[in-house]
Every structure is written in structure tokens, then in C-alpha cells.
Amino acid sequence: MAELNLQQLQSELRKFHGINDSRALKAQLEHVLAPYFTFNELCLINIEHDKASFEMRTTKHLEFDEQLLKEILKSSNDEWCFFNTNHVFLNSEPLNDALIFKVTLSEESMQCFVFFSVKESDYFSKKASTALHVLLQQVAWQYSQLTRLNRQKFHSTSLLTRLGELSELFRDFASEWFWRTNKEERFINVLTTASHSNLYKRHFLHKNFDAIITQQEQKQLKKWSHFKHLLAEHAEFLDFEFEVNSSPSAWVSFSGKPQFDAQGQFRGYLGIAKDITVNKDREQALQLAKEKAEEANLAKSKFLTVMSHEIRTPMNAIVGMLDLLADSKLSDKQSRWLDYANSSADLLLDLISDVLDFSKIESGSLDLDIKATDINALVKNIASQFLEITQGTNVVFSTQIKDGLPDKINIDSARVGQILFNILDNAFKFTKVGTVNFVADYTDQYLHFEISDTGQGISPSHIDSIYDAFKQHDYGVNRQIEGVGLGLSITKSLVDLMKGDIKVVSEQNVGTKFTIQIPYTVVSADTKVVDDENTLEPIAILVTEDNKTNQVLIKAFLEKLNHHVTLADHGQQAIEKLQQQHFDLVLMDMMMPVMDGITATKYIRDELKMTLPIVALTANASHQDKAICIDAGMNKVLTKPIRFHDLNRALRVLFSQ
């Protein structure tokens, strides 16, 4: 058979142009190589830097063992090379008689045609023509270029597809868009997503900022004056937020940079805008929710104020009459009934006080009343009261009050007493049989109290929640513990307010121990402390009170102290009586018909120019109400219900100043 000449070579090479399929390549090679040898399968292997990879195979069922690549790398440098291999499989069947033709592309890379199941012709066994070598070199080079091109196309297509996906995602979900203005600050270009295209183009194009903002925005002169100053200075700006005069309403955040030409002349702004309508809607919803919560809290405070007044007014009469009744001649049975009534009244007052204290603590309006206090007497008085309670019970109460406990220190005695009462009361409530121990100690800076009991203790599941409001150990219908679950919550808040510390250790069925530490300062030597036993000379007192029962009660209290009492039903009547005769003191209710106590007090101070002491007697116990009384010109505020001893001491303190 004649050798392949140059003219035939060119003709055959043209037939390979445009082939980009392995099957078509195999078919064309079979046709060209038929005079020389025949083969069943074909693959093209790329070898670069002594690493081999498969560029093409005629069927996906053609499988290779790594050993084949190693044999090719170890084979001779001849262009043609025969060897038998058991490392190639077609449909899991081994192929033999592999023929390799190597094509050198560079010093570091080559390609190998590998023909399988080869049957040679007589001509090929002699020597393959040079033209055949050139043909295979050209085909290998063509397929190599085609492979690289296909890879580049695949990479580019993948990249474009990915960019398309990202662009589509940005278009669908992004709230950012681009804008440009001319040097007159008119929008000349708006590039937005499809969903916002009409909205922003319709409201921005060919307009300046003044024409696109709402009337509410136009009223914010300071905000826009600053922004327009930036524009006049051709300065960069970031995240400038404003509301667009559009339907539906929209909020945007603008960021922009000034643009200049080659000569440095200002051309306008180029920037990005972000739709923040959803964020603004959320802000407005949160603000509305906050306002509603504040309104609800205010309504709750007003409700508590009203309830405090309404409950304390009749309670004042109940408690006061019980005090008066206790001074009368009673039989043993009547005395017991009176004790029951007093106990129930005290319990009711404690519940009312706890709820109001909790409300003050929650609103942050509870203030401490720091004053000179005989802490030694306070602690002993509290201990003696609980000692009386244990008489005839199965609980042994022991006290350890350290000698030298300071007599006069600056502290809120009422709140310290409240703390100790709450903890001791709990100890006795939960200890039916056993012991309760009260220890009072001190250092130069702190009072130390320890209250321990051998009661039922606190379970581990409840120990972390004992200071939670309205939480009780037992909520059952047969519960033995009274109260609303505020005692420990208020106690913890009071200790924190005093910048002290409270800790609890407890074991169920073993007992509980509370440790309390409260800071204090010593009263200076020149501070005057009023003695509760001092007597007050009789004085003339004008009692201004609209409730007849309370009039009778307060008058009875004061006359019992040998004071001279005159009654007035409202503020206007009190003013008239003050103009008619002399009084040493005015006790003034806040809420009265005709003229309330606040208005009357202001008139007495501002119009009558009188400086006599005025003390509020009010059922309104909130911090705000007390502040109103003091601001009106009152000297002191006493909260109903008024106890005889509390009123007596308040008068002595007032006239000792």
C-alpha cells in the first residue's frame, strides 16, 4: 500500500477540522488508519510534569487502572510502542494488545494515543510513514487545543451562569439601587431592581431633593440644612435617611460621592440608595409598642394610686377605731376578738404595703429615707416582738445581739426593719417545730444579720426563684402560708437599693439560713436624735378632712394627746378658719371636694403668706404624690392608715426641729 503523501495528508487533516466528539474522532481515525492497523477502542492521555490524566476516551465504559499510567510513563521514548496490559477494562472485561503513539508537545508535556485490541497490517509492521506521524501529531495537537478550549468555555459558562444567578438574586432580593445627579442636583439616572423600577424612576428622575421628600421631612429644617451644606461643599455623605413623597410610602438611605471631570469641574453625585421602608416600619411598630407599654404602665400606676387611696381611707378608720377601742374597758372575750381584728387588719395592711412597695420598686421610684437611727434599740425591739410570738409554741427563738452595736447610725430604719421582719416572719412560717436563731453583728462599715431556722427548707428546684415576684412555695387550695409572694422579692430589692448583699443556703427538711449585709455610716456628734418618750405641749391643730369617720378618729387621737382640735370639711373652709383664728399646725387631706389640699396649701403659702407647719394626711402613698405635697409647701406627709403612736411621734419630730 502506498505511503500517505503530503497532498493526501492535507486532505485527511481537513476532515478532522470541527470534530469535537470522541466517537467522531474515533471513526475518522479508523478510516485514516485502516491501511495500517485496526483497533476497537481509543483514548488520549495527557502527560505533564510526569503526571498523567485522561483527556478523552471513546466510551464511558472504558475503565483504567492506575498501573496503566505508570507503564506508559516507564515506556520507551519511541513514538510507537507496543505492550500487553491487564490494566484496562471494557465493561469489566480486560483489554490486551495496546499500541501507544507519543506526541511531544513541549519539554515538559506530551500526549499519547492509546489504541486497544490492535491488529496490525503488513505495511505497519515494516515502518509507519512520516506523513502518518505528522497526521497523528496534528490530530493530538488539535484535540489538545479543543480540550483546553472546551474547558475554558465550560469555566466561562459556569462563571456566567453563577454571575447570572447572583444578579438575579440581587435583583429579586436586594434593596440597594444606584443613582446619579447632574451638577444642579437633579436626578438624571436611576438604576433599580425590577420591583422598584417604576416607583423610584417615577418619583426621582428629573427632580431634586426638595421635590421628592414629604411635608414632614420639609419641617425638619436642621436635618436638611446640614445635608444641603454637604451638597454645597461637594462633600461625600453616608446613610442619609429620609422619607419619599410616594404612594406607597417609602424610606430610603442615601450614600453618595461627588464626581469631577478631567479639569476638576463638579459634574454631580454618583451613589447608592437602600430601601429601608421595612426597617422604618419595624421601628415605628416598636415605638408604638413601647408607647402602649408606657401607657399601660402609667395606667397601672394610676390604678394602684386610686386603689391605694380607696383602700387606705376606710382602713384608716378601721385601724384607728381598733386603737381607740383597745384603750376602753373590755371583757376578756372582747379583748380576744379585738386581737383577732387587729391581726387581720395588720395582715391586710401588710398586703397593701407589699403591692405598693413592689410597684414603686418596679418603676424605680422607691427612695430611701436615711436618718439617724438607734439600731441597737431597733434590733432588740424586733427580736422582742418575735419572742412574744413564740410563747406557748413548739418553736424556740434565740437571739445573739453583739455587745456594742452602734446606738446612732445613718440608715433607713423602716426599710431595715422591713427586711428583718420579712426574713424572720418567713422563718417562723416555715418552722412549725424546731428553732429559729437571730444573730446581729457589725463591723466598722457593715451591719451583719443572720437568720437561720430548722424548718422545712427550700428544694433545689425552688432555690433560684425565691426572689421572684408573686412566687410562693405552695399554691394549693390547702396552703398554710398567707401572702401574695412579694416579701422576699421586696427584701432583695431593698437590700440591693441599700447597696448591701443577701445570701441564702437551704436544705430540704433540714433548714434555711439567710445572711444579710447592709452598709452604714455613724451619726456625727452634733446630729440631734428625737427621743420617742419626749412629751409635746398641747397645741392648736386644724384638721382638714372630708371623711366624717376619719374626722372623729383623728380628733380622738389628738385629744388623747391633749391637743386642741378644730375640724374643716375642705380646703376652702380651712382657709377661712385660718383667717379667723390662730393655729400651730394644719393636718391636710389631699383629695377633698370644693378645694383639695394641694390647692389650699398653695393658697396658704402664696396668698396668706403663712409659715405654720402643714402636714399631709393622705391615702395616696406613691412617691409622686408625696413629691406633689412637698412641692405645694407641705412640711411632711403621713400616709393613711394613721396609727396613734405614729402620729404622736411625727408631731414630736416636727416640733423638735
Side-chain angles (χ1 to χ4, degrees), residues 133-326:
H133 290 189
V134 174
L135 173 68
L136 290 175
Q137 286 176 338
Q138 290 297 315
V139 170
W141 181 86
Q142 177 185 343
Y143 193 80
S144 175
Q145 295 302 313
L146 180 63
T147 300
R148 287 189 175 90
L149 180 62
N150 286 338
R151 285 178 178 172
Q152 290 175 353
K153 284 182 178 179
F154 177 76
H155 178 72
S156 299
T157 302
S158 299
L159 182 60
L160 289 173
T161 301
R162 181 59 179 160
L163 288 174
E165 291 173 350
L166 293 175
S167 299
E168 188 173 338
L169 191 65
F170 179 81
R171 183 192 68 199
D172 292 340
F173 294 104
S175 58
E176 288 84 1
W177 48 278
F178 302 95
W179 56 272
R180 183 190 292 274
T181 66
N182 58 18
K183 60 183 180 181
E184 286 80 24
E185 298 173 5
R186 291 187 179 275
F187 288 90
I188 58 176
N189 192 12
V190 174
L191 180 60
T192 70
T193 62
S195 59
H196 294 99
S197 179
N198 292 333
L199 174 66
Y200 293 120
K201 286 182 179 178
R202 184 171 69 251
H203 289 89
F204 281 75
L205 279 179
H206 313 302
K207 299 177 183 178
N208 57 21
F209 283 100
D210 289 334
I212 63 175
I213 62 177
T214 62
Q215 292 183 352
Q216 186 64 32
E217 285 289 340
Q218 293 173 1
K219 295 178 182 178
Q220 300 186 43
L221 301 179
K222 184 177 180 180
K223 168 185 174 181
W224 283 95
S225 175
H226 176 70
F227 178 66
K228 289 181 178 180
H229 176 73
L230 293 176
L231 297 181
E233 295 291 326
H234 302 156
E236 178 180 339
F237 58 88
L238 295 172
D239 300 328
F240 179 70
E241 299 179 359
F242 61 90
E243 186 177 13
V244 181
N245 185 19
S246 63
S247 181
S249 62
W251 277 84
V252 292
S253 174
F254 262 47
S255 298
K257 280 191 173 184
Q259 303 297 302
F260 302 91
D261 59 20
Q263 288 73 39
Q265 297 296 317
F266 176 66
R267 296 172 51 197
Y269 273 92
L270 177 64
I272 189 170
K274 182 177 181 180
D275 188 312
I276 58 171
T277 306
V278 174
N279 292 343
K280 283 296 180 180
D281 289 344
R282 187 180 295 112
E283 285 180 14
Q284 292 175 357
L286 289 173
Q287 181 63 29
L288 182 61
K290 179 183 176 183
E291 291 174 357
K292 287 184 176 179
E294 290 174 348
E295 289 177 3
N297 191 53
L298 181 61
K300 182 190 71 173
S301 298
K302 289 181 177 179
F303 171 78
L304 287 172
T305 299
V306 172
M307 289 303 297
S308 169
H309 182 274
E310 295 303 316
I311 294 173
R312 285 175 181 272
T313 297
M315 281 300 298
N316 183 59
I318 294 171
V319 173
M321 292 301 177
L322 290 175
D323 276 349
L324 291 176
L325 190 59

Side-chain angles (χ1 to χ4, degrees), residues 87-106:
H87 304 293
V88 183
F89 304 88
L90 179 62
N91 293 324
S92 301
E93 294 295 328
L95 294 176
N96 300 319
D97 301 327
L99 173 63
I100 300 175
F101 177 71
K102 296 183 179 180
V103 178
T104 302
L105 300 178
S106 67

Side-chain angles (χ1 to χ4, degrees), residues 430 453-463 473 505-513:
F430 292 101
D453 64 68
T454 58
Q456 65 188 58
I458 306 169
S459 68
S461 61
H462 291 123
I463 195 72
H473 184 72
V505 177
S506 185
E507 186 176 347
Q508 206 163 11
N509 299 320
V510 174
T512 303
K513 181 172 73 174

Side-chain angles (χ1 to χ4, degrees), residues 392-576:
T393 68
N394 294 321
V395 179
V396 176
F397 181 45
S398 61
T399 62
Q400 299 174 40
I401 300 175
K402 185 176 181 179
D403 293 337
L405 201 64
D407 289 337
K408 303 295 184 291
I409 63 173
N410 290 314
I411 203 165
D412 189 330
S413 58
R415 297 304 180 183
V416 171
Q418 187 176 359
I419 291 169
L420 297 178
F421 263 109
N422 281 341
I423 302 298
L424 280 167
D425 190 47
N426 270 357
F428 283 101
K429 281 180 181 178
F430 292 101
T431 306
K432 301 305 177 184
V433 178
T435 62
V436 174
N437 187 44
F438 175 42
V439 177
D441 201 348
Y442 72 99
T443 64
D444 291 340
Q445 294 179 318
Y446 293 95
L447 296 174
H448 293 273
F449 301 106
E450 183 181 294
I451 299 170
S452 57
D453 64 68
T454 58
Q456 65 188 58
I458 306 169
S459 68
S461 61
H462 291 123
I463 195 72
D464 293 331
S465 61
I466 61 170
Y467 300 120
D468 292 351
F470 303 107
K471 202 141 193 178
Q472 289 184 303
H473 184 72
D474 180 15
Y475 283 100
V477 294
N478 60 343
R479 66 191 180 102
Q480 301 177 15
I481 306 304
E482 298 174 321
V484 291
L486 286 175
L488 285 179
S489 176
I490 292 172
T491 297
K492 178 69 165 62
S493 299
L494 290 176
V495 171
D496 291 342
L497 190 61
M498 294 178 178
K499 302 188 184 315
D501 182 60
I502 181 170
K503 295 179 181 178
V504 59
V505 177
S506 185
E507 186 176 347
Q508 206 163 11
N509 299 320
V510 174
T512 303
K513 181 172 73 174
F514 281 89
T515 304
I516 304 164
Q517 180 174 274
I518 299 174
Y520 72 92
T521 58
V522 178
V523 175
S524 59
D526 58 346
T527 301
K528 184 179 180 181
V529 180
V530 177
D531 189 347
D532 282 353
E533 299 304 319
N534 289 342
T535 59
L536 181 64
E537 294 295 327
I539 59 176
I541 302 175
L542 175 62
V543 177
T544 310
E545 168 69 61
D546 64 310
N547 186 283
K548 297 299 181 182
T549 305
N550 283 335
Q551 284 183 356
V552 173
L553 173 66
I554 297 172
K555 184 179 180 182
F557 277 172
L558 294 174
E559 288 179 344
K560 187 177 178 181
L561 295 170
N562 297 320
H563 299 306
H564 308 294
V565 180
T566 301
L567 299 175
D569 294 331
H570 49 75
Q572 181 63 48
Q573 198 174 92
I575 291 173
E576 294 171 357

